[in-house]
Amino acid sequence: MDGALYLADMYRMWVEHPKFLPPEIAAQIDWRAGEDKGRIWRIVPERNPKPGHEFVAPKTTNDLVAMLSDTNGQRRITAQRRLVEDADPKIARELSALLSANDSPSRAKVHALWTLHGLHKLSDQQVTAALNGKSVDVRRQAAVIARTDADRSEAVMRALLHRHDDEAIVQHQVVLACGQQTSDESVAALVAIAKARATSPWFQQIVLTSSRDCSGAVIAGLLSEVASFTAKDRTTVGTFLADLAAVVGARGDADEISATLKATTGDSVRDLWAPTAILTGLAKGLPRHRGDLKQKNLAALLKDPLPQMQNVTASVQKLLKESANCTVDATRSTEDRVAAVALLSSQAPQTLTASLEKILSPGQPAALQQAAIQAAGLNAVDLVLARWNQLPPPVRSQALTLMLARPATTQQLLDLMAAGTITPSVVDIDQRVRLLQHRDENIKKLAGQIFGGVVSANRKAVADEYQTALTLAVCGNDA
């Protein structure tokens, strides 16, 4: 309680437990040997080894209240615990005075707040006043109480939501509170914080946990600020938009999907990166929907539009066309083209094929080609195999992963290797082992013909096999 840190440095000659030794040996050992040694270290700051003031044990309840203002955190926690354990209802007046006094330090107000809470004597008026106080530490703790106490009044919740423009540690609590209700005020507060903290990965995750029922509204809010994001922020914010849109798609609410598409294709959104991210997320989310919505992918949604989106279908189709053009536009940055490539699987078949033919041509950025193969999936198989020898090594690795993912494409790959079109050396040792042990007998047999039988994954066995080479006689001048 004097502000120092104490470390018990225990000493024993034997640190094993007797039960871990044979009984006959354990009986011969003095297990308490060394108990008279050891030490207790008192650790204090070098510049201030003496406490600010000597500790005087509290004798009365009022002494405990006074200790809530102590600069020593351990003393404050002890005083709070004692007050709550004693449960003296008469002390609420002194605690309330400490909480409301202008000259009370913020640390004292925090403990007074939680002590009143522990005594079930904290009123809604006191929580509201703390939420509007000058100290950010007090506001944060009041926000935690307002968020977690289910029986707090609507006035307290409104006061909490009005803190959406506060410091980050308070906004954190506001966002979590927004996830517990669906009022217009909570949605507005959530949108305001999402806009202010859109580039923060931490706040993105917090908003995502609280926006299950209003992700579309958050997207609309972010789109209203899309011009304010710098080129450096686009990747981070684009990922945020895609994640929110995936939630919209997975929920499958027709009105929300329609509203999101209207906001995405609005005249105020001029940059392609944001709408592309939203459509990409929507395309990922729709297949996860488990409700009554029959359109389970973006292509089906555009082919058979919802009644609510009759006026936006043409705009979305136009956006998809612009995205497809972006993927093959060499004047656009690689980052923009990679972002647009994510929508390839939602393009019309002829558009997809035309884009892939240009993207997988020699001279295109490897990152773009890798993204295209990943996005197109099985649609890229035939073109990848036809242009295998033109692809750079990193892209071949991506393509190889695609080919080995399914038996049918694995068979195609091995057929070309057997014909000499593709060299078997692109398949690494681990992949060969899996092919040689494949459950498909045709693949297993063909892999054995190509790779020369079983490939040993045991390096020692291989080394032992060639050990005799070290004892071969030297022939002539060949050494």
Side-chain angles (χ1 to χ4, degrees), residues 45 94 111 149 210 303 369 387 411 427 456 465:
E94 285 76 6
H111 285 281
D149 280 4
S210 298
K303 184 178 180 180
Q369 293 180 330
R387 299 189 178 181
Q411 184 71 51
V427 182
S456 174
E465 182 180 350

Side-chain angles (χ1 to χ4, degrees), residues 3 15 28 40 45 127 154 182 336 460 462:
V15 295
Q28 302 176 30
I40 297 176
V127 177
E154 292 185 5
T182 57
D336 286 346
K460 185 178 183 303
V462 175

Side-chain angles (χ1 to χ4, degrees), residues 298-299 316-317 319-325 327 340-353 355 379:
L298 185 59
V316 175
Q317 295 283 14
L319 186 57
L320 283 174
K321 184 177 180 180
E322 292 176 1
S323 176
N325 292 336
T327 63
V341 152
L343 281 174
L344 277 181
S345 60
S346 299
Q347 301 284 2
Q350 60 273 21
T351 303
L352 171 61
T353 302
S355 297
N379 295 310

Side-chain angles (χ1 to χ4, degrees), residues 234-316:
R234 289 183 178 182
T235 300
T236 302
V237 179
T239 301
F240 189 25
L241 288 169
D243 290 340
L244 289 165
V247 176
V248 173
R251 281 192 67 210
D253 183 85
D255 292 330
E256 186 178 35
I257 291 174
S258 177
T260 299
L261 290 176
K262 287 180 180 178
T264 302
T265 57
D267 294 336
S268 61
V269 184
R270 297 181 180 180
D271 292 326
L272 188 60
W273 65 270
T276 299
I278 295 170
L279 291 183
T280 300
L282 196 61
K284 290 181 179 179
L286 284 170
R288 304 175 192 168
H289 176 62
R290 295 295 179 265
D292 298 330
L293 187 70
K294 61 181 181 180
Q295 295 90 338
K296 300 297 185 182
N297 56 66
L298 185 59
L301 185 65
L302 297 177
K303 184 178 180 180
D304 183 17
L306 298 168
Q308 296 92 328
M309 55 178 288
Q310 293 292 342
N311 297 328
V312 298
T313 304
S315 299
V316 175

Side-chain angles (χ1 to χ4, degrees), residues 10 41 43 56 60 74 78 162 174 226-227 235 263-265 273-274 298-299 314 317 330 342 367 392 457 478:
M10 185 187 77
W41 296 92
I43 304 172
V56 179
T60 66
Q74 182 62 35
T78 300
H162 287 164
V174 176
V226 72
T235 300
T264 302
T265 57
W273 65 270
L298 185 59
Q317 295 283 14
D478 295 332

Side-chain angles (χ1 to χ4, degrees), residues 61-62 65 83 88-101 112 115-116 119 121-122 126:
T61 303
N62 287 333
V65 173
L83 288 169
D88 183 359
K90 298 179 182 178
I91 204 63
R93 180 179 299 178
E94 285 76 6
L95 291 170
S96 298
L98 181 63
L99 179 61
S100 61
T115 305
L116 285 167
L119 294 171
K121 296 294 183 180
L122 185 63
Q126 289 173 320

Side-chain angles (χ1 to χ4, degrees), residues 332-380:
R332 303 292 291 267
S333 68
T334 301
E335 290 77 11
D336 286 346
R337 296 175 71 185
V338 168
V341 152
L343 281 174
L344 277 181
S345 60
S346 299
Q347 301 284 2
Q350 60 273 21
T351 303
L352 171 61
T353 302
S355 297
L356 283 176
E357 287 180 349
K358 294 182 180 179
I359 293 172
L360 296 181
S361 299
Q364 295 293 334
L368 177 65
Q369 293 180 330
Q370 288 176 299
I373 291 174
Q374 182 177 0
L378 293 178
N379 295 310

Side-chain angles (χ1 to χ4, degrees), residues 440-464:
D440 187 304
E441 288 299 326
N442 292 330
I443 292 177
K444 184 177 181 180
K445 180 179 179 180
L446 185 55
Q449 296 172 1
I450 295 172
F451 301 117
V454 177
V455 178
S456 174
N458 188 327
R459 295 186 178 184
K460 185 178 183 303
V462 175
D464 291 343

